[in-house]
Amino acid sequence: MALKTLAPAMKKVLFLASLMLAASAHAQNVVGNAAEGAKLVATCQGCHNMGGGYRSSFPEIYAVPMINGQSAQYIVDALKEYKNGNRRFPTMRAIAASLTDQQMADIAAYYATAKGQPIQ
């Protein structure tokens, strides 16, 4: 009789364990590849590599930050905030919405590479 009552409990334990394992695998950090990021930044370069003090005029006057040398984690976090709507600049939101987590990590790795260093 004890085995019959143990079986449903074990099924629940195994089910919960498999959910936790799946969640932890999904939550792992994506590693960026700067060489792949270099292939993705054509859209970014138009605004973010204009030099200090560049201002966009659409949809409103907006100071565009230079992102060369910025922390990769900061760039990924910012892109995710644009994608989920926590940051509200429409152009960046549209661009970020089109990126996968891997693409965000690759772009961030590219911009985090010190200027003058070869991209491998």
Side-chain angles (χ1 to χ4, degrees), residues 41-114:
V41 297
T43 302
C44 312
Q45 303 285 3
C47 296
H48 289 286
N49 281 355
M50 296 294 291
Y54 174 69
R55 294 186 180 278
S56 141
S57 60
F58 180 81
E60 61 193 41
I61 302 296
Y62 181 80
V64 178
M66 289 293 295
I67 55 177
N68 285 330
Q70 183 61 266
S71 154
Q73 188 61 55
Y74 177 84
I75 293 172
V76 168
D77 291 345
L79 287 169
K80 286 182 178 183
E81 288 176 5
Y82 281 116
K83 187 172 187 169
N84 69 27
N86 288 339
R87 289 190 183 202
R88 300 182 189 264
F89 191 71
T91 305
M92 281 303 304
R93 184 163 187 194
I95 292 168
S98 71
L99 299 173
T100 66
D101 287 350
Q102 183 63 58
Q103 290 171 322
M104 288 181 193
D106 292 344
I107 290 168
Y110 170 81
Y111 277 113
T113 302

